[in-house]
Structure formats: C-alpha cells, structure tokens
Amino acid sequence: MAADAASASARTGRLGTDRIRTAALAIVALSVLWRAQVASGGFLAADDYVMITQAAESNLTVEHLLALYNNHLMPGGRLLTWLITEHVGMAYWPYVLLMAIGQAVLGITFFRLLRRLLQPSWLLLLPLGALMFSPLTLEATSWWAVGVNMLPMQIAMVLAVGAQVSYVQTRRKRHLVTLALSVLLGLVFFEKAILVVALVFLLTAALYAEGGFFRTIWTTIRRWWPSWLLLTVLSLGFLAAYLGNSESSLRRPASAGEVFSFLTQMLGSTVVPGLVGGPWQWLGAGDGAPVAAPPELGTWVAWTIFVALVVATVRRRRRAGRAWLLLGSYLVLVAAMLAATRLGSTFSGVAGGVPRYVSDVVVVAAICLGVAVVGLARPSRFAGATEPPTVDTPRTTPMALPEPRDGRTPDSGVPQTVAAPSATAPPASPTAPPEHPTAPVLAEAVRTGRPARVVARLGVIHAEAPVDPEPDPASTTAPDVTPPTASVADSVPDAEAGAVRAPDPVVEPHPSSSPDAGDASTAGPPPRDADDRPTGPDRRPPAAAPSDPLGPPPPGLLGPLPERYREAVNVMLALMLVAVCLGTVWTTSRYSDEWAVKSSRSYIDTVRIEMASAPPDTVFFDAPVPDNVVPSLSWPYNLQSRFFRAFGTRPTYVDEADHVSVLDALGRIQVATIVGSTIQPGPQEGCGYLVASGQTVRMPLNEPRDDWHWVARIGYLSSADGTATLRFGTGTAEFPVKKGLNQRFFRIVGGGDAVELTVAGSDVSLCTNEIAIGNPTPKPE
C-alpha cells in the first residue's frame, strides 16, 4: 500500500491537482519567457523589412495576401504583418509578443498530445522539454520571417497528429474535421506544411499498424482510409493552387559531392547536435540568424549520445524501433525537399547548417522520443472501433511458475503451458475462489480487466497488457520446471509464439486522453482481498492490489534492470541529462549574443534621431540602405525610399535639387557630393567651358559610364537666369539656371564618354568646370 500511495502522490497533490501537468506548464512558461528574452535582445532583420515594406505599400486585399514572397505562399503571415505595420509601424515588440504566444500554444498543444498518445508518467516531461528548449527552434522564436512560417507549421503538426491519434482511438468523424483544419492552418502560413500530410500517414503506420513493410502500409490504408481520402483531396487542391501561381524553385545540385556534403552537414552539424543541446558554437551571418558550427568533438559526443539512446530504447521497448524509423523517414523527406530547392545556388555551401530548415524535425523527434522512452498509451475500445488494439509493452523476461514447496512435480492433469480462457467463458469474479484448486492466477496488473491478448509459452503465463508486471524475484529463482512435449504455442504460427485471441478488454477511457479528463478512481473491479487469494504450488505469489484501476504505473526508463546496476546507470543517465541541459543553456546563450548584434537597429535609431533634429527643407536622393541592413539581393526593397515607408517621420526624397543630403552607413545625415566620372578641365582660363545662349558645348569625361540611372551634379557661374539641357548618351535632363554661383543635382539615365550642355535664355552665359556623373555619397569633411 505504501508503494501505491507513493505512486498516487507522484501524480496528484493533496488537493487533487495534476502534478505532471503543473510541471509541464512550468516548463512551457519557462521556455516562453526565456525565448522572449532572447528575441527581445535582437531586432528585425533582412526579410522582415521586405515584408513590412510590402505591407506598407499595399492595401489589405486578396491580391496582397495571396502574393508569393520568395516563392512562398503565406497569406496568414502577410495578414499579421499588414495589421502590425498598419497600426504600429516599424516596431519589433509586437512580433516578439506573437512569437511568444505561438511558443506557448505549441507547448500546451504538444503536452495535450503527449497525454493522449503516451502512458501517464513523469517521463512525459522529457519530450516536452526537448521540444520547448531545442536550439534548433531558436530562429522560429526570435526572427519574425522564420517564426511566422515555422511556428504555425509546428502547431499544425501537433494538432494534426493529435487529431489522427484521436480518430484511430475512437473512430469519431469530428476528429477528421480537426485533422483537415489543422493541415489547413499550416498551409495558410507555409507551403512546407504539406509535409504534415506525410507525417500523419507515417506516424499512423509506424505506431498503430502491425506486420512487415507492405502489410503495414496496406493495413494503414485499409483501416483508416477516410483520413487519407480527406488529406489527399486537400493536398491536391492546395498543390494545384500553389503550383499554378508559383515559379519553379527546383534546382539541380552541381555534383554528387555537393549532395553528400549537404547531408553530412545537415545531420552531423545541425540535426543530431541540435537534438542533444548543440551546436554549442555559432557562425555569425550578419543581421540574420547565425549558422550552426559545432566543434568536431561535440559532433562525436552528440552522435554517441544519440546512438546510445536509440539502442537502449530499442532494446527496452518493442515499439521504439518503429518510432526512430519514423524520425528517419521524416528526415529523408526534409532532406530531399531541401536538396531539390537549396542546392545548386550560391548558398548551398551552408544550407545544411541552417537550423531553420530543419526546425520542424524537432517536433517529430520529440514525439519519437516520447514513444521510445514512455511507450504508447493503453488502447481503449470505444464505440465504432473495429480493429484489435495495439499495445506497447516493455521487453521483459517471461515469468515461470514456481515449483511446489514440497518438491513434488505438479499434478499431471495440469499442463505447464496454460492457454488463454475461452472467448465464450464468462469472466470470473475478482473475489470468488478458483473453480479448480490448481488453476493458475494471472498477474495482478492484468486482473483489473480482461486482457486483450494472453500469451501462453512453455511454463509461462504472459499477458500482453500495456504494462507488464515486473518479475517477482521469488518466481524467477524457483527451480527449473521440466517442460511438456506440446504446448499451445506450437500450434500458433504468429510472430509472437502462442498469441491467442481473448475477449475484448473492458477498459475505461484513458485518463490521459485529455488533460481535463475526469477522475477514474471508481473504474475497474475492486482489488482482491489478500485473505481470499488462492495459494498453492501452482499459483503465483500474491501481489499488492493496485490503487489505480489502470494498474501500476509503467516501469521507468531503466526497465527490469538488475538492482546491482541501477545505481551506476542512474548516475550515468543523470549526468547525461545534466550535460544536455547545460549544453542547451550554453548554446542558447551564444545564440542570444549573436542575435543581439543588429546593424539595422542602430541604423534605424540613428536615422530617427537625425531626422528629429534636421531642418525641414532637408531632402535626399534615393539610395540603397547598407548591405548589412538589407542585402542588395532584395532590390528594390533595399532602397531607402521603400525601407522607410513604415516610418512615422520619413526622409523626403527628390529627383532634383540645389542642395541634397545623404544618409551615411551609420544613418547620419551628411552633405551630398557625387563620386563617379567628371569632365576634363575646360580650355577657358578662369571659366573652364563657356556656354553661351543657344550654343551646345561637348565636354569629354575622364572615364566613360555605362547606361544606367545616374545622378549628375553641375557647379556653374551664370550671368542671368535661364534653363540648361544636359545630354548624356541617349539620356537628357533639363534644369533651371540661376544667376550667380550655384550648383544643381538631378537624375539622368544614360551612358557614354562625354556630355553636351546647351543653355537657353536671353543673354545667358554660363561657365562650368564641375560636372560629375555617378552616385551621391557623403561629402568629405
């Protein structure tokens, strides 16, 4: 009874609160606050400004929402960006708030999925923590351009898997509606969410179907065909709409070596180290998120931990192998998609080290970790379910029946191999004495209900309940029993020898199917009184009555490990867990340091300060912002006139003026000059080139200019007001001329090795020796 009380206390507090749920909510809250702190240390970056500019230049229309961005269809992200830009402007805190909310929603929905999918156990916190704190998802919670795609996709993955698991367990059609809506949620924000469809199928096949490869696929299709019909129609409709409006982003890798390097980098430097707290070191990438760059030793340690976990869980639990195979299958899909769209470009050398490309893998890895370590939840047979339930049993050693204490052999009329009860035989009362004095007694964990499957082996009675009782030391050390020559197992060709179908189990709905499930303490038959338990040479020693109608809690991660090894293994596991946690803290801190360095933030802050103190007549020629703020590949959205579109007080941009200012690389306002080609000195002493009214004078340049959009500056001395025309190749620009010593800046489109100047007006003479064609830059002080 003390053990039962401890088990109950581990799951509920004195007031009946769910301690596992409380701990899970604490993990989610800690993760959200930590990630929000990391995100708030940074700022907007690169693609964020392009999306904000497009939102500022457009009305809220269907055309704007469905417009592709870098070939991505993301109407949900465009809607959120437009609303923030329209009502807040170029600010960062709304995006941090939205990403924090997304992280919280992801954590809560994932914990609900774990409660439905897995057995109730404190070990549920392991996959939850792995998802909430994985360094592979740092970009999704700090960089808006990534988070607006990946967070909804991750939430859609969790919701879709949860809906499919609920449908498999209950066959209720409403879960199909939830499944379709979940996939649509992901597709509204990111076209990559089409992989959710493949994930749902792979997970169902890996965890809920039996048999070899082809039998598993066929069983999955046949049993749950409504899900696949719905998802197929949904996928085909989306692909038709997307592919009809998008440009092909498929690329051809340059060589097989490029593909091999990409896969090695993705798995060795990003995925595996990231799953165990890495990569510990980051490679800066300007204002964008850093790239994973783990040390070689860290990579080997990460692989050692990962392989050890896979081997240990596969040996521990029969369903773990399929869970890790599910992770590998999803990784193949992600790698194939990345190789087809990212390789063969200028960025293919670092494509495998970008965590955001594989951040959705963390969701799948966390699910697989939970299945491998905790085990699938006990199946329930609800109305409408027609398939035999699948159970997940730890690998345990079969228990032999003990010899009689007097050393005699058992009665010859009772075989050592006991078959399962007949399907037509009524269940015996849990308190009634046995009908035959030599009838065997099933394990106490199975007596809470009729077993779904009972396995009879030579000298073994083994119930394949979701939780197998640990072998009793007294029974495992009993003298050997001479096996008979025949058994039920000999006649059953099943993969599990001796598996016999038994009556359907009578199991109450699993209390972990929902965090809000009611108390199931009244379910199941009352425990057998110790005095009424039969005793005798052919009966198992009496076991303690379970206080939980679902039987004792599942065995821990170690399983039936010999006692002499438990302490050493516990210490090793604790040290490994601490090492992973410390590695995660270190990696996140290093990422936070890299993310906090933002050139664009200091540039924007300086521009705000300078504009607040600038004279009202300050004007600028449009020019690109620095490359470390918005890359030139984003042209024309890297132009200042578009970059500052969402500003409250924007600079004024002109195409012609007498006095022009420019913003330098730091955002300071400077007097402008032109750097480029200049005219050669003129022949007139003290004048340069003399241009009289109605005359045209040709002036050669010191170096030619290609045809392009240029800015020209002319400094002149005029005898009267008038107009002048400058020709540069095929381009022409007309500007006013004022009496006296003046200058003029204006735009011109053209090219060549000389310019021609014509002056119009009555009695206007103009001298000039200063004509430059190029780009405006700050004037040297």
Side-chain angles (χ1 to χ4, degrees):
M1 298 300 293
D4 298 334
S7 173
S9 175
R11 283 172 283 183
T12 60
R14 289 181 300 174
L15 299 179
T17 58
D18 190 333
R19 289 187 175 182
I20 297 180
R21 180 169 59 185
T22 301
L25 293 178
I27 289 176
V28 173
L30 176 61
S31 171
V32 171
L33 293 176
W34 193 12
R35 292 296 179 90
Q37 185 270 332
V38 171
S40 60
F43 199 67
L44 300 168
D47 293 327
D48 295 338
Y49 296 113
V50 179
M51 295 167 57
I52 291 172
T53 298
Q54 292 177 350
E57 294 177 347
S58 305
N59 296 322
L60 188 58
T61 62
V62 175
E63 290 76 11
H64 172 67
L65 296 180
L66 297 182
L68 298 180
Y69 175 71
N70 285 347
N71 223 25
H72 296 312
L73 180 62
M74 42 182 295
R78 283 191 177 276
L79 175 61
L80 294 177
T81 305
W82 189 93
L83 292 174
I84 294 174
T85 304
E86 178 71 15
H87 298 287
V88 181
M90 189 180 288
Y92 184 48
W93 67 264
Y95 302 108
V96 174
L97 178 61
L98 285 178
M99 288 184 289
I101 293 174
Q103 176 80 345
V105 172
L106 175 63
I108 293 173
T109 55
F110 187 70
F111 179 65
R112 289 176 63 90
L113 170 62
L114 294 178
R115 293 289 289 261
R116 174 170 290 279
L117 180 67
L118 306 178
Q119 301 178 27
S121 169
W122 280 100
L123 293 176
L124 292 176
L125 302 180
L126 283 179
L128 178 64
L131 175 62
M132 290 289 96
F133 295 101
S134 174
L136 295 179
T137 62
L138 282 168
E139 289 180 80
T141 56
S142 56
W143 189 356
W144 172 246
V146 178
V148 74
N149 294 145
M150 292 310 309
L151 279 173
M153 178 180 173
Q154 291 174 337
I155 294 172
M157 295 171 72
V158 174
L159 292 176
V161 170
Q164 177 65 12
V165 170
S166 299
Y167 177 68
V168 169
Q169 292 176 346
T170 67
R171 285 303 184 89
R172 292 173 181 167
K173 297 299 186 292
R174 62 184 178 90
H175 297 303
L176 294 178
V177 178
T178 305
L179 175 61
L181 293 178
S182 301
V183 175
L184 279 175
L185 170 66
L187 293 175
V188 164
F189 285 87
F190 198 14
E191 73 279 354
K192 187 183 178 183
I194 196 69
L195 291 182
V196 177
V197 176
L199 171 63
V200 170
F201 181 85
L202 292 173
L203 183 139
T204 306
L207 303 185
Y208 292 102
E210 298 289 348
F213 176 79
F214 294 104
R215 180 181 176 185
T216 296
I217 298 299
W218 171 245
T219 300
T220 305
I221 296 174
R222 177 179 56 84
R223 286 185 181 174
W224 301 288
W225 64 266
S227 294
W228 319 135
L229 178 61
L230 177 66
L231 293 179
T232 299
V233 173
L234 183 63
S235 301
L236 292 178
F238 171 79
L239 290 175
Y242 171 70
L243 297 177
N245 297 318
S246 66
E247 299 178 358
S248 176
S249 57
L250 296 179
R251 294 186 175 94
R252 177 176 297 178
S255 63
E258 183 184 20
V259 176
F260 178 78
S261 299
F262 162 72
L263 294 176
T264 302
Q265 189 180 41
M266 187 188 78
L267 295 176
S269 301
T270 307
V271 174
V272 173
L275 293 179
V276 295
W280 310 286
Q281 291 182 2
W282 298 97
L283 181 64
D287 267 18
V291 178
E296 185 175 356
L297 177 61
T299 300
W300 285 106
V301 171
W303 273 98
T304 301
I305 295 175
F306 181 75
V307 171
L309 176 64
V310 171
V311 172
T313 52
V314 169
R315 291 174 60 87
R316 164 77 175 90
R317 193 178 302 278
R318 67 187 183 92
R319 189 71 50 179
R322 286 194 167 212
W324 297 122
L325 183 62
L326 167 64
L327 175 60
S329 301
Y330 190 80
L331 268 172
V332 169
L333 294 178
V334 172
M337 177 176 288
L338 290 175
T341 57
R342 297 295 174 181
L343 298 187
S345 66
T346 56
F347 301 104
S348 59
V350 295
V354 180
R356 64 178 176 270
Y357 292 160
V358 293
S359 58
D360 53 314
V361 175
V362 181
V363 177
V364 184
I367 293 174
C368 297
L369 175 65
V371 174
V373 172
V374 184
L376 288 177
R378 176 179 298 181
S380 301
R381 294 296 298 273
F382 294 91
T386 59
E387 292 78 24
T390 303
V391 294
D392 190 15
T393 60
R395 298 183 184 274
T396 56
T397 304
M399 293 170 287
L401 293 176
E403 286 282 351
R405 291 193 179 96
D406 55 4
R408 294 177 301 167
T409 59
D411 191 340
S412 60
V414 180
Q416 290 300 309
T417 301
V418 183
S422 171
T424 59
S429 170
T431 58
E435 297 180 2
H436 193 280
T438 60
V441 179
L442 295 179
E444 187 63 25
V446 183
R447 287 210 305 260
T448 58
R450 290 174 294 173
R453 177 182 287 180
V454 176
V455 176
R457 296 187 179 92
L458 299 181
V460 175
I461 301 176
H462 181 74
E464 282 194 324
V467 179
D468 290 341
E470 288 199 31
D472 194 300
S475 62
T476 58
T477 59
D480 294 336
V481 179
T482 304
T485 58
S487 68
V488 177
D490 297 332
S491 61
V492 181
D494 194 85
E496 296 182 10
V500 181
R501 290 297 306 274
D504 291 336
V506 180
V507 182
E508 294 296 324
H510 198 290
S512 66
S513 60
S514 168
D516 302 324
D519 185 11
S521 59
T522 59
R528 187 190 299 253
D529 198 55
D531 296 335
D532 295 335
R533 293 187 183 123
T535 59
D538 294 316
R539 297 171 181 84
R540 292 196 49 180
S547 60
D548 191 334
L550 296 176
L557 179 61
L558 300 180
L561 191 70
E563 187 66 30
R564 62 181 179 273
Y565 298 128
R566 281 184 176 270
E567 183 175 357
V569 174
N570 278 330
V571 171
M572 182 181 67
L573 290 177
L575 291 176
M576 188 180 300
L577 183 61
V578 169
V580 171
C581 293
L582 291 178
T584 301
V585 173
W586 176 266
T587 300
T588 304
S589 298
R590 299 288 72 77
Y591 177 91
S592 179
D593 294 341
E594 292 286 345
W595 181 248
V597 180
K598 287 288 175 288
S599 303
S600 60
R601 175 175 52 196
S602 58
Y603 179 80
I604 290 173
D605 291 343
T606 303
V607 171
R608 291 184 191 274
I609 295 173
E610 291 282 308
M611 288 302 302
S613 57
D617 59 347
T618 303
V619 296
F620 302 85
F621 274 106
D622 198 4
V625 298
D627 270 0
N628 58 358
V629 176
V630 178
S632 57
L633 291 175
S634 299
W635 188 91
Y637 297 103
N638 65 328
L639 295 176
Q640 295 176 14
S641 59
R642 311 190 81 167
F643 178 82
F644 294 117
R645 188 69 179 263
F647 258 49
T649 302
R650 295 189 299 131
T652 301
Y653 294 96
V654 297
D655 291 331
E656 184 177 351
D658 289 340
H659 301 282
V660 179
S661 299
V662 293
L663 296 171
D664 64 11
L666 299 178
R668 300 174 299 182
I669 298 177
Q670 304 281 359
V671 176
T673 188
I674 300 300
V675 173
S677 300
T678 60
I679 60 173
Q680 298 179 5
Q684 300 291 332
E685 183 70 25
C687 178
Y689 293 93
L690 177 61
V691 184
S693 178
Q695 293 182 342
T696 299
V697 177
R698 187 177 186 274
M699 308 172 190
L701 299 175
N702 63 345
E703 58 180 348
R705 296 268 101 180
D706 295 331
D707 282 335
W708 191 242
H709 298 261
W710 305 108
V711 175
R713 174 191 173 272
I714 178 172
Y716 63 90
L717 176 64
S718 177
S719 62
D721 294 344
T723 60
T725 302
L726 183 72
R727 295 178 181 87
F728 183 42
T730 58
T732 302
E734 184 176 310
F735 58 93
V737 173
K738 298 179 181 178
K739 182 179 180 180
L741 184 62
N742 295 285
Q743 68 174 357
R744 190 71 176 178
F745 294 84
F746 52 87
R747 289 192 175 276
I748 189 169
V749 180
D753 58 359
V755 297
E756 295 180 349
L757 182 64
T758 302
V759 176
S762 59
D763 300 328
V764 176
S765 297
L766 182 148
C767 288
T768 182
N769 213 22
E770 297 181 6
I771 296 179
I773 297 179
N775 295 310
T777 59
K779 185 177 182 179
E781 297 179 356

